[in-house]
Amino acid sequence: MRLIIHIGTPKAGSSSLQVALDTNRNRLMEQGILYPTIERATHHSGLASGLHVPEAMRDIDLRRNGNDPALVVRKTEAAWQSLADQVSSHNPETLLLSAENFMSIDDFTTLREWLARIAPDAEISSVAYLRAPVPNHESKASQRLGRTTKVRLPGHLPWHSRLMRWKNIGPVQLRDLAKVGDIRTDFLEAVQAGLASKLSMPGRNANVSLTGEGCIALQAAMMNVTSDSASDYVERSRVWRARLAEAEAALGESLSLRRVTVNPAVRWLILDEWHDEAVALREKFDFQFDEPALYDRAEIDKGLAETGARDLGLAETDALSRFLANDQTAALRLLAHAAEQGAVRQGGFPLSSMKDGLRKLLRKGAR
């Protein structure tokens, strides 16, 4: 049996791939390929959740389990047992697993034990789709605002060290999301030549995000909303996100709206943070992003100096407008439209207060 594990990474098309695999479970099984059902989800995050040390467990996993890490572990054990039962029942030629949080697991000992039990003689390999550092950072801005008003500071993810641990399980293939086109077709063709043409492809399941202007407005709106709990914040953020999406649709032709775009100084800070990681990926996995400056230390230092990036003193509590090159005036108009089309008051704060709050954020961002 072959076992192919899709291990992420986040913001690199995983949702679209998982929906396609989930939609085609029966057709895949006709080809001898099992894409198992775990906890009635389109993905297999339940297999990885409890393989993290408690302090590294995802907030969503802890919230769903009463903030009890032991319960997360027990549910993960149950998920692996369910997988074992499905493999035993179907006896597939190929087993496919997919979860973004596979990438960050800590407990490889338990992982090996389960793999040995489920597929003792399997040919195991893993594949990870990577998004270049700057687009990766930009794509997370809208998602992050769903749970906090704090801004994500430039930083890198320890992909190299994590991938080296996966390399001890079996061969690891890295794919540049910007180069593969449709992740679904790319992955399926790697599983079996011609497989994509035999399946029914659902519509692309890209996670819908606000424009950069919409994100600036969302942060301002949520800073003026009192939330009693994390779940309350998430719900209120969802309401405002929907209103701002409607505002973008209504005003899009009259405003200069574009995707989240970091300003030049933040771009250089991101490349600075990622330089060593990118070089390690190139050396150990022969993988290189299509971003020449990322590998040029002298050019990065020059860019940092010319933009004064290291002197900005950026903080998580700053206005998002300090980080982005998006139109701040357009953000104000989006917020006004969203508030006027919905309730004039949100969380007890009048529209005038929100406008004042956004203006303060924009003035702070301009400094």
Side-chain angles (χ1 to χ4, degrees):
M1 182 174 72
R2 288 192 307 159
L3 169 54
I4 303 173
I5 309 175
H6 167 236
I7 59 175
T9 57
K11 308 307 294 182
S14 297
S15 296
S16 290
L17 173 60
Q18 290 159 352
V19 168
L21 293 171
D22 178 63
T23 301
N24 288 281
R25 288 183 195 272
N26 292 336
R27 289 188 176 92
L28 288 169
M29 199 64 251
E30 292 172 359
Q31 303 296 318
I33 302 169
L34 173 63
Y35 186 69
T37 300
I38 303 296
E39 298 177 346
R40 294 179 294 180
T42 61
H43 50 77
H44 303 132
S45 295
L47 296 172
S49 298
L51 298 181
H52 294 75
V53 294
E55 56 269 24
M57 288 181 178
R58 300 183 305 175
D59 289 341
I60 189 171
D61 293 323
L62 290 170
R63 288 200 304 271
R64 288 174 176 173
N65 293 281
N67 290 315
D68 183 356
L71 184 54
V72 176
V73 172
R74 289 197 294 274
K75 285 196 172 181
T76 293
E77 292 172 348
W80 279 101
Q81 184 57 57
S82 173
L83 174 59
D85 294 341
Q86 292 177 63
V87 171
S88 177
S89 174
H90 293 285
N91 192 28
E93 296 176 7
T94 302
L95 173 62
L96 303 180
L97 301 178
S98 175
E100 289 182 348
N101 57 338
F102 270 134
M103 180 69 157
S104 58
I105 66 171
D106 303 294
D107 189 356
F108 276 82
T109 299
T110 300
L111 174 66
R112 287 176 181 276
E113 292 173 352
W114 276 110
L115 293 179
R117 176 179 173 182
I118 291 170
D121 301 316
E123 175 188 324
I124 303 174
S125 63
S126 57
V127 58
Y129 289 83
L130 309 184
R131 197 171 191 172
V134 173
N136 180 281
H137 185 97
E138 291 171 338
S139 70
K140 291 182 178 178
S142 177
Q143 182 184 52
R144 183 179 177 87
L145 287 169
R147 62 181 187 276
T148 179
T149 58
K150 292 183 178 179
V151 181
R152 181 172 179 243
L153 297 175
H156 76 277
L157 298 172
W159 284 347
H160 163 251
S161 59
R162 292 173 178 175
L163 288 166
M164 290 300 291
R165 300 183 72 181
W166 276 99
K167 198 172 183 179
N168 291 327
I169 298 292
V172 176
Q173 182 180 19
L174 303 188
R175 305 285 285 161
D176 187 345
L177 185 66
K179 297 177 181 178
V180 303
D182 190 332
I183 182 177
R184 304 169 302 175
T185 301
D186 184 78
F187 181 81
L188 290 168
E189 289 303 300
V191 173
Q192 183 184 105
L195 180 59
S197 64
K198 300 175 182 177
L199 305 182
S200 174
M201 290 295 181
R204 294 296 293 270
N205 192 53
N207 293 317
V208 179
S209 298
L210 294 173
T211 63
E213 289 74 20
C215 288
I216 292 172
L218 178 58
Q219 184 199 42
M222 293 307 299
M223 281 185 169
N224 284 282
V225 170
T226 301
S227 298
D228 298 326
S229 64
S231 59
D232 183 47
Y233 177 96
V234 169
E235 179 57 32
R236 290 172 182 266
S237 174
R238 186 179 296 116
V239 170
W240 272 103
R241 184 183 299 273
R243 289 182 181 177
L244 288 165
E246 293 174 359
E248 289 180 346
L251 303 179
E253 293 185 3
S254 62
L255 297 178
S256 177
L257 304 179
R258 56 176 172 164
R259 65 173 181 79
V260 175
T261 305
V262 297
N263 62 43
V266 172
R267 174 179 177 270
W268 287 114
L269 287 171
I270 295 171
L271 296 184
D272 178 48
E273 285 285 340
W274 273 93
H275 172 73
D276 290 344
E277 185 72 21
V279 170
L281 289 172
R282 182 176 62 183
E283 292 178 350
K284 299 297 184 181
F285 292 91
D286 194 28
F287 175 87
Q288 184 163 329
F289 291 111
D290 188 17
E291 173 62 273
L294 180 59
Y295 302 91
D296 191 330
R297 182 72 260 174
E299 186 173 353
I300 291 174
D301 289 338
K302 179 182 178 182
L304 291 169
E306 290 179 347
T307 59
R310 287 196 171 115
D311 299 324
L312 290 177
L314 297 173
E316 288 185 333
T317 54
D318 283 347
L320 187 57
S321 54
R322 289 200 73 196
F323 297 78
L324 303 185
N326 294 87
D327 188 339
Q328 300 176 14
T329 301
L332 179 60
R333 289 189 59 187
L334 286 176
L335 179 61
H337 183 92
E340 289 165 354
Q341 292 301 312
V344 172
R345 289 176 176 270
Q346 174 68 14
F349 283 85
L351 173 59
S352 59
S353 175
M354 288 191 177
K355 287 183 176 179
D356 290 343
L358 180 54
R359 291 190 180 98
K360 290 178 182 178
L361 283 172
L362 298 185
R363 286 196 295 271
K364 183 178 180 182
R367 293 201 297 270

